[in-house]
Amino acid sequence: ARDATGLVREISPLMASIFNFSNAPVGLVIVFSSIVGFGYFSGGNILLGILLALLGSVPVLLNYAFLSSSMPRSGGDYVYVSRLVHPAIGFGANFSLTIFQIIGAGAVAIFFSETGIVPAFATIANLTGSTWFMSAANWAGTPTGAFIIGVVVLSLVALLLARGTAIALRFNSVVWCVGLFSLVIMLGILATITHATFVQRFNTFAAPSMHSADSFNSIISVARAAGFTQPGGFTSLWGLIAVGMFGAGWFFWSTYIGGEIKGARQLRSTVRTMLSGQLLNGFLYLLAVWLIIQVFGTTFISAVTWLLFNDPSKVPFFTGQGAQIVFFTALGTQVKWLAILFVVTFIAWGWPLLVTYSLQIQRCAFAWSFDQLMPRRLCEVNARTHTPLLLIGVAWALTVAAAAITAYTGLIVAIYASTFVGTALYSMFVSSLAAVRFPYRGRETYTLSPVSRLKVGRVPLIVLTGIWSLAFTLFWGLAYVFLAPFGMQADGGALLILLFGVFVVGVIIFYSARAIRMRQGIPMDLVYAEIPPE
C-alpha cells in the first residue's frame, strides 16, 4: 500500500561504474598507502599485500553484484540484511556503517587539503620561489585551514547533489577524469627517471636545509638513529593486506543507489560495473606503487614517512605531512610546467570519495525513513530535482561536524582507518551473511533472479561467495583491530568502543522506532516481509 520512492532511474551504467571507481580513488589510495604501508610496514612486501587484497576481494564484489541485481533498491545492504538476516541487525549494522561513513567524509574533507592543496602549493613555492604559495601551503596544513577548505568542498558536494544525482555524478565523472590525467602524468614522470637521477635531484634540493651533500642517505641515517626499523614477517604482510584494502574491495558503492541506476537488474551489467573498477584501479595501484619503489626506494620513503609521524622536526624540507609521494614525484621532473600541472590536477583526487560517502549516507537514511524507522519527511523527494533535499542538508551538517573533529583532534589516520574496519564489519560481513541465507530465506526472490542459475554442483554460487567473504573480511578486518599502527587501540581503545557501541545504539533505535510505529497501528513486521517498492 506504500507509495513509490520518488527516485528516478537516471544513472547510466557508465556513470555507475565511475561512481564505483570513485570509492577507491586510486590517487588518494596511493598517497594513503604510502603513509601507512611505507611508514609502518616497510619490512613487508607491499606489492604482494596489494595483490592478495585484490584477489581476495573478487568474491566479495561478486556477492554485492548478486544481491544488488536481485534487489536493486536505494539503501543497499540495509535492504538485503533486514530482509534476509533480521530487521534489527539490518538497521543496526547499516546505522553503524552510516556513522562511519560520516566520520570518513569528515576525514577525507581534511585530506583534501593535506594531500591536495598543501603539496600543490608547496611544490609551486619551491619551483617559483613564491613566499605567498609557501605561506598558503602552511596555512592549508593547519587544523583551521584544513577545516575551512573541507567545509567549502563539502558544501559544494551537497549543493551539486541537491541539484540532482545525475548532475552530481556527471560532474564527479569529469573530476575523476582530471584525477586520472594527473595519475598518467605521475606514472610518466616515474617511468622516465631512474633511482640515481632522483637521488641526485633530491640531494640538490635538500642540501641547503640538510647541510649534507648526500641528503638522501642522511635522512635514512637520521631516521634509524631516531628508532626507525623495518621488521618483516607475517605481521607486516597481514598489515599490508589490510593496507591493500584501501584500494581493493570498495567497488560496490553503486549498490546504495541501486534504485536510481538504469538496468540495475541485469546481472552481467552489474558484475561488469563492479569488477571493472577493481581491474582498472588495481592495475594502476600496483603499477604506481611498483614505480614508487623503483624510483624512490622503499627505505627512503619509509624513513621520511616514519619521521614525519614521529619527529617531523628532523625533516627540515617541507613536503606536507602525508603528501611526500606527490611532492617527490614533482621533484623528479625538471620541467616546471609539468610539475605544476601534475600537483594542481592531483587535487582532484580529493573530490570523488566525498561524493560516494555523501550519497551512501543519504540513501541509507532515505531507506530507513521509507521503512518508517525515521521521520517520513527525511524521504520526501523534490519533484523537480528528484533528490531528498532535507536529508542532504542533515548529512552535510553531520559531515562538517566530523571534519571539525578530525581536524582538531590530530587523529586523522586512526579516525580514517576506523572507517575501513567499520565498513568491513557493518557492510561486507553482514552482507555476506545475507548472501549465504539468500537462497533459503529469500527463496521466492532468489528463484526469480538470474543468480539462481549459478551453481557449483548443487551448491548455489552465492553461498560460496558469501562464505569466502565472511572469512576474508574477518581476516583483514582484524588486522585493523590488533595491529597498533592502525590506532584502533589508542586512547584506551576509544575507537574500538565506538566500533561496537554504535551497533548497540542502532539496535536500541530500531526497537524504539518499531514500538512507536506499532502503537500507531503500523504493522512493522509486514514492512520487512517484502522488498521496498521502487
Side-chain angles (χ1 to χ4, degrees):
R2 294 178 300 173
D3 294 331
T5 61
L7 299 174
V8 177
R9 291 195 183 276
E10 57 184 350
I11 309 302
S12 69
L14 176 60
M15 278 200 293
S17 296
I18 295 176
F19 178 68
N20 280 334
F21 298 167
S22 299
N23 197 55
V26 66
L28 194 62
V29 164
I30 292 164
V31 169
F32 201 69
S33 297
S34 73
I35 295 172
V36 183
F38 289 115
Y40 292 111
F41 303 107
S42 61
N45 187 328
I46 189 170
L47 291 172
L48 179 60
I50 294 170
L51 182 60
L52 291 175
L54 288 166
L55 294 175
S57 295
V58 171
V60 178
L61 293 175
L62 289 175
N63 224 24
Y64 280 101
F66 295 158
L67 289 168
S68 181
S69 61
S70 301
M71 292 174 271
R73 296 294 186 270
S74 294
D77 48 60
Y78 164 71
V79 176
Y80 321 144
V81 180
S82 63
R83 271 67 178 178
L84 299 175
V85 181
H86 191 278
I89 295 175
F91 177 79
N94 200 247
F95 173 80
S96 305
L97 169 68
T98 302
I99 294 298
F100 280 104
Q101 299 310 291
I102 291 169
I103 294 170
V108 172
I110 302 306
F111 270 125
F112 189 92
S113 177
E114 294 193 354
T115 63
I117 301 293
V118 171
F121 283 15
T123 300
I124 294 171
N126 279 295
L127 291 175
T128 64
S130 170
T131 57
W132 185 90
F133 273 103
M134 184 57 73
S135 298
N138 280 307
W139 176 81
T142 64
T144 299
F147 174 66
I148 291 173
I149 292 170
V151 171
V152 170
V153 177
L154 286 170
S155 300
L156 291 174
V157 170
L159 288 172
L160 276 170
L161 289 172
R163 287 286 308 277
T165 306
I167 292 173
L169 292 191
R170 286 191 199 102
F171 186 83
N172 180 70
S173 299
V174 172
V175 176
W176 180 81
C177 288
V178 172
L180 192 61
F181 174 70
S182 76
L183 188 62
V184 170
I185 297 175
M186 178 182 184
L187 296 175
I189 292 173
L190 295 179
T192 53
I193 61 172
T194 64
H195 175 67
T197 299
F198 171 76
V199 171
Q200 182 269 321
R201 290 174 183 173
F202 174 79
N203 286 339
T204 301
F205 160 75
S209 56
M210 291 287 295
H211 306 293
S212 170
D214 188 10
S215 298
F216 182 89
N217 287 302
S218 292
I219 200 74
I220 296 173
S221 299
V222 167
R224 284 175 173 161
F228 166 66
T229 59
Q230 294 177 283
F234 172 77
T235 299
S236 289
L237 180 60
W238 188 25
L240 288 171
I241 293 172
V243 168
M245 285 301 297
F246 292 160
W250 310 104
F251 306 101
F252 57 83
W253 237 240
S254 59
T255 189
Y256 293 102
I257 57 171
E260 298 161 82
I261 300 174
K262 298 174 183 177
R265 292 184 179 276
Q266 298 176 10
L267 177 59
R268 182 176 298 179
S269 175
T270 305
V271 170
R272 185 167 55 244
T273 295
M274 295 184 184
L275 291 185
S276 61
Q278 190 192 51
L279 182 64
L280 176 61
N281 280 33
F283 170 74
L284 294 173
Y285 189 11
L286 284 167
L287 178 60
V289 172
W290 180 76
L291 287 171
I292 285 167
I293 292 171
Q294 299 304 306
V295 175
F296 304 143
T298 301
T299 303
F300 172 74
I301 286 296
S302 299
V304 172
T305 305
W306 188 91
L307 284 173
L308 286 171
F309 272 110
N310 293 278
D311 192 354
S313 65
K314 290 186 169 62
V315 186
F317 48 88
F318 185 79
T319 68
Q321 184 169 326
Q324 52 272 27
I325 295 296
V326 178
F327 184 84
F328 290 145
T329 299
L331 191 65
T333 178
Q334 292 186 317
V335 182
K336 288 186 178 182
W337 67 265
L338 183 62
I340 293 173
L341 181 63
F342 162 62
V343 295
V344 170
T345 53
F346 199 87
I347 296 173
W349 284 118
W351 174 273
L353 197 52
L354 292 174
V355 177
T356 61
Y357 279 166
S358 297
L359 267 175
Q360 185 275 332
I361 294 164
Q362 296 163 20
R363 293 308 184 263
C364 286
F366 179 93
W368 311 336
S369 177
F370 197 75
D371 278 350
Q372 303 193 54
L373 292 174
M374 293 287 170
R376 287 300 299 266
R377 282 198 63 197
L378 288 177
C379 68
E380 290 180 358
V381 174
N382 183 276
R384 183 175 62 85
T385 63
H386 306 297
T387 56
L389 297 180
L390 176 60
L391 191 52
I392 290 171
V394 171
W396 172 84
L398 292 173
T399 54
V400 167
I405 293 171
T406 304
Y408 290 105
T409 59
L411 296 174
I412 188 168
V413 172
I415 288 174
Y416 192 51
S418 72
T419 68
F420 284 90
V421 67
T423 306
L425 180 59
Y426 297 122
S427 180
M428 288 184 177
F429 192 82
V430 294
S431 291
S432 302
L433 288 174
V436 172
R437 291 174 64 86
F438 187 25
Y440 315 107
R441 182 72 178 268
R443 185 180 299 275
E444 182 178 347
T445 303
Y446 174 76
T447 302
L448 294 173
S449 73
V451 177
S452 62
R453 299 195 296 268
L454 304 177
K455 295 184 178 181
V456 177
R458 294 185 177 182
V459 182
L461 179 59
I462 194 172
V463 172
L464 298 178
T465 58
I467 292 171
W468 172 272
S469 300
L470 285 170
F472 182 68
T473 301
L474 192 64
F475 169 73
W476 72 262
L478 287 176
Y480 283 85
V481 175
F482 290 112
L483 298 184
F486 293 113
M488 292 294 293
Q489 298 183 26
D491 297 318
L495 288 175
L496 283 175
I497 295 172
L498 173 65
L499 176 65
F500 296 106
V502 70
F503 177 76
V504 175
V505 172
V507 171
I508 292 172
I509 291 174
F510 170 80
Y511 280 111
S512 300
R514 180 181 180 278
I516 292 171
R517 293 303 192 194
M518 294 288 279
R519 282 200 297 269
Q520 293 172 346
I522 300 172
M524 290 297 290
D525 291 340
L526 295 182
V527 169
Y528 295 100
E530 63 176 15
I531 301 170
E534 297 191 45

